[in-house]
Amino acid sequence: MQEFSFSTRIFFGEGALERLNKVVNKRVLIVTDPFMAKTGVADRVASYLTDCEVTIFSDVVPDPPIETVAAGVQCLQNCRAQVMVAVGGGSSIDAAKAIRATAGRISTVETEIMECFAIPTTSGTGSEVTEYSVITDKEKGLKYPLVSRALRPPTAILDPSLVTSAPPSVTADSGMDVLTHALEAYVSVNANDFSDALAEKAVSLVFRWLPEAYKNGGDLLAREKMHNASCMAGLAFNCAGLGLCHGMAHAVGGKLHLPHGRANAIILPHILRYNANLDGSRRGEPGVTARKYQRIAKLLNLPSSSVTVGVSQLVRGVEHLNKTLKIPANLRSAGCNMGVYEQERKAIIAAALADSTTATNPRRPSEGEVKNLLSIVAG
């Protein structure tokens, strides 16, 4: 028996921020990062609240560490917030989710019944609808994906006007994160008809609209479509899980400090080839994963007269998208410190194999296989 469910209410499209008008005369904690606070985005969000006492916690940094979560819990207790609003990219939303869940366990704040809004300002993580949160132990250089229903935000607000200021590089990295979410959920061992439908739509939206959002950040239609794709991919992987690409990206990002979406983009074409296992399928019938990749190729109107052709064209399509978005082909060209890479290679391999997202990959990787993939990705 399988289950597909999501409890998050989703408000989307232009003007979606107006949903906050219904928050009246409450103590509100906004969780965000210094950039969102400095540029006035947090204040803009606060302006939609009606007669509220607002506290802004703006200490979130990329790959939020455990210490940030602890500071956020203290701030939540001090201001006695009745409502939480997470504003920003995946790091801000992940931090807010972890703060809310942790406060519910260690304090008297009744976080289960408090209103909570997740408002993404990038189209990438899908964190606004998932029960995942990635927290970093900076001392160990490790990223920990937390998984709990207590982390799932009750309300998501997808307003495309908040994404128009995202620079092209952030649009590219976060957009490729969306594509990776969708493609990994699509072939996960826990994939089902419901997650497949969302993943297929997300993939088609990314290929159609990500180049447009990258070229013209002010294109509200492109921004709305990518925001929707990000959310759909989040719903898909929240149900089905992810795979080895994310396991490796978490490990690489933790040690080499590469943006998560860029790490995924660099690794993804190689994982598609690995998962399709075309060398193995030539000794028999193509596997389910390879056939599903062919189906995606057909959906994208790529040549797909056979499974082999479909898989090859999908890989080329992803590589072409990376080139269009000016994403480097490997870790070396991405500017990673290759000395650190050599020192940490064994730890990266071990972390990738141990990562919870790797568990739902359609092909179970060995240590040697991850080592070979990492060598290719390194360049």
Side-chain angles (χ1 to χ4, degrees):
M1 180 175 67
Q2 293 177 285
E3 177 186 350
F4 179 81
S5 65
F6 63 94
S7 56
T8 305
R9 297 183 68 191
I10 303 168
F11 297 86
F12 61 96
E14 290 186 58
L17 278 172
E18 293 174 9
R19 169 61 182 82
L20 292 176
N21 290 338
K22 295 183 179 180
V23 180
V24 181
N25 195 25
K26 296 287 182 67
R27 293 186 299 275
V28 180
L29 174 64
I30 294 179
V31 177
T32 190
D33 60 63
F35 180 78
M36 290 292 125
K38 183 179 179 181
T39 56
V41 174
D43 288 334
R44 180 186 167 197
V45 169
S47 72
Y48 284 86
L49 302 165
T50 304
D51 298 326
C52 290
E53 180 183 323
V54 179
T55 300
I56 297 178
F57 176 77
S58 60
D59 294 346
V60 179
V61 295
D63 303 321
I66 298 166
E67 292 79 6
T68 297
V69 175
V73 170
Q74 187 63 56
C75 183
L76 176 65
Q77 291 175 300
N78 291 344
C79 71
R80 299 179 297 117
Q82 299 165 294
V83 179
M84 276 188 70
V85 180
V87 181
S91 293
S92 291
I93 296 176
D94 277 7
K97 289 159 66 172
I99 289 167
R100 177 171 173 260
T102 303
R105 290 197 301 268
I106 68 172
S107 73
T108 57
V109 180
E110 296 185 31
T111 56
E112 288 186 7
I113 62 172
M114 74 185 301
E115 286 186 279
C116 184
F117 299 85
I119 307 176
T121 58
T122 61
S123 303
T125 67
S127 186
E128 69 275 5
V129 291
T130 73
E131 51 196 49
Y132 290 82
S133 177
V134 180
I135 301 301
T136 302
D137 185 328
K138 290 200 170 181
E139 186 175 331
K140 296 180 180 178
L142 294 174
K143 292 186 178 183
Y144 295 105
L146 310 178
V147 186
S148 170
R149 288 202 174 187
L151 293 168
R152 195 184 299 181
T155 306
I157 294 178
L158 312 179
D159 195 312
S161 69
L162 290 176
V163 199
T164 55
S165 61
S169 61
V170 173
T171 299
D173 292 347
S174 57
M176 290 305 295
D177 196 18
V178 175
L179 183 62
T180 307
H181 289 156
L183 287 174
E184 289 207 287
Y186 194 61
V187 298
S188 161
V189 295
N190 291 333
N192 56 66
D193 290 344
F194 297 93
S195 61
D196 279 1
L198 289 161
E200 286 180 356
K201 184 62 176 178
V203 170
S204 65
L205 286 172
V206 170
F207 270 86
R208 170 64 181 87
W209 293 104
L210 179 54
E212 299 297 325
Y214 176 77
K215 286 187 296 185
N216 180 10
D219 186 334
L220 274 179
L221 179 59
R223 290 299 195 180
E224 180 177 341
K225 296 297 185 181
M226 281 305 303
H227 237 18
N228 292 346
S230 177
C231 188
M232 290 176 187
L235 290 170
F237 85 74
N238 190 65
C239 170
L242 291 165
L244 179 58
C245 188
H246 263 78
M248 290 182 66
H250 287 151
V252 167
K255 295 296 185 182
L256 303 181
H257 309 295
L258 187 67
H260 175 67
R262 192 170 307 174
N264 271 323
I266 292 170
I267 297 167
L268 181 58
H270 308 289
I271 296 298
L272 295 177
R273 292 191 188 95
Y274 170 77
N275 283 343
N277 195 21
L278 291 179
D279 290 338
S281 69
R282 290 191 184 103
R283 296 188 290 270
E285 289 296 317
V288 172
T289 299
R291 293 199 299 272
K292 292 189 83 170
Y293 286 155
Q294 180 194 24
R295 192 182 310 159
I296 289 290
K298 289 180 179 178
L299 179 70
L300 298 173
N301 293 318
L302 298 172
S304 51
S305 56
S306 68
V307 172
T308 300
V309 171
V311 171
S312 297
Q313 290 299 312
L314 176 59
V315 171
R316 289 181 184 179
V318 172
E319 291 174 336
H320 177 72
L321 190 54
N322 276 340
K323 288 180 181 178
T324 300
L325 304 173
K326 294 182 171 53
I327 290 175
N330 52 52
L331 301 181
R332 188 182 301 276
S333 58
C336 292
N337 186 322
M338 301 313 290
V340 174
Y341 164 78
E342 291 295 340
Q343 293 172 3
E344 300 288 353
R345 182 167 51 181
K346 288 185 179 179
I348 291 172
I349 293 168
L353 287 167
D355 196 277
S356 62
T357 60
T358 300
T360 46
N361 197 69
R363 185 178 174 188
R364 180 167 295 181
S366 67
E367 182 178 340
E369 288 170 335
V370 175
K371 181 179 179 180
N372 289 338
L373 284 166
L374 188 60
S375 295
I376 295 169
V377 167

